[in-house]
């Protein structure tokens, strides 16, 4: 084999080896890059899973509170919805109570006066007889 043929054959073989090495290296880099990419995707997915789990817990708690409040209100055991109206009614009834207590005091004074007058009349009649 002449030097030029050997060089051409060697060159072809060398070129094939370079391409093979480049392909292997490229595959290695691609595999490493793919692995890194997959690890990054996995880390992101895990982080997203943690966030979604926290959000689900938050929504479950909120739903539980809302359902509890609804059941409590519908059971009749809960506070009435219109507290302002009830407060006005309480104020009105308290005012009526104060008025009635005043009426009772007046009637009590009138009764005492009537009893005193009755006793005086009874004594006066007893002295005449």
């Amino acid at each position: 084999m002449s030097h030029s043929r050997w060089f051409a054959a060697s060159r072809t073989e060398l070129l094939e080896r370079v391409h093979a090495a480049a392909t292997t290296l490229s595959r290695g880099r691609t595999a490493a890059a793919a692995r890194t990419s997959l690890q990054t995707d996995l880390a992101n997915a895990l982080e997203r899973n943690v966030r979604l789990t926290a959000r689900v817990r938050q929504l479950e708690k909120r739903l539980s509170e809302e359902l509890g409040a609804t059941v409590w209100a519908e059971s009749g055991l809960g506070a009435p919805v219109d507290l302002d109206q009830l407060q006005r009614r309480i104020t009105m009834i308290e005012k009526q109570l104060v008025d009635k207590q005043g009426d009772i005091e007046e009637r009590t004074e009138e009764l005492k006066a009537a009893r005193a007058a009755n006793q005086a009349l009874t004594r006066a009649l007893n002295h005449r007889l």
Side-chain angles (χ1 to χ4, degrees):
M1 191 183 285
S2 75
H3 186 53
S4 63
R5 280 188 174 170
W6 177 84
F7 182 73
S10 292
R11 186 174 159 230
T12 305
E13 185 181 322
L14 183 61
L15 188 58
E16 287 174 3
R17 282 185 177 178
V18 168
H19 284 300
T23 303
T24 303
L25 184 60
S26 176
R27 285 185 194 149
R29 285 183 188 158
T30 303
R35 180 183 170 109
T36 303
S37 177
L38 289 174
Q39 287 174 336
T40 303
D41 289 347
L42 178 60
N44 289 337
L46 290 173
E47 186 177 320
R48 184 171 188 261
N49 190 26
V50 168
R51 285 192 315 270
L52 290 174
T53 300
R55 180 68 174 149
V56 166
R57 282 191 192 124
Q58 180 186 27
L59 291 173
E60 285 174 342
K61 181 180 177 190
R62 188 170 151 201
L63 177 62
S64 176
E65 289 170 355
E66 289 294 324
L67 288 174
T70 300
V71 168
W72 183 255
E74 289 177 359
S75 70
L77 298 173
V81 177
D82 192 0
L83 295 177
D84 290 335
Q85 181 183 5
L86 287 176
Q87 190 62 42
R88 287 191 299 272
R89 177 117 171 94
I90 289 170
T91 303
M92 183 183 73
I93 290 172
E94 287 174 342
K95 185 178 181 284
Q96 289 175 349
L97 178 62
V98 169
D99 291 345
K100 297 298 179 189
Q101 287 173 336
D103 290 347
I104 289 173
E105 288 176 10
E106 279 182 40
R107 298 281 191 298
T108 301
E109 293 300 318
E110 289 174 3
L111 181 59
K112 284 181 185 178
R115 284 182 179 159
N118 190 23
Q119 286 175 352
L121 288 173
T122 303
R123 276 190 220 123
L125 275 174
N126 285 339
H127 282 297
R128 281 191 203 172
L129 293 173

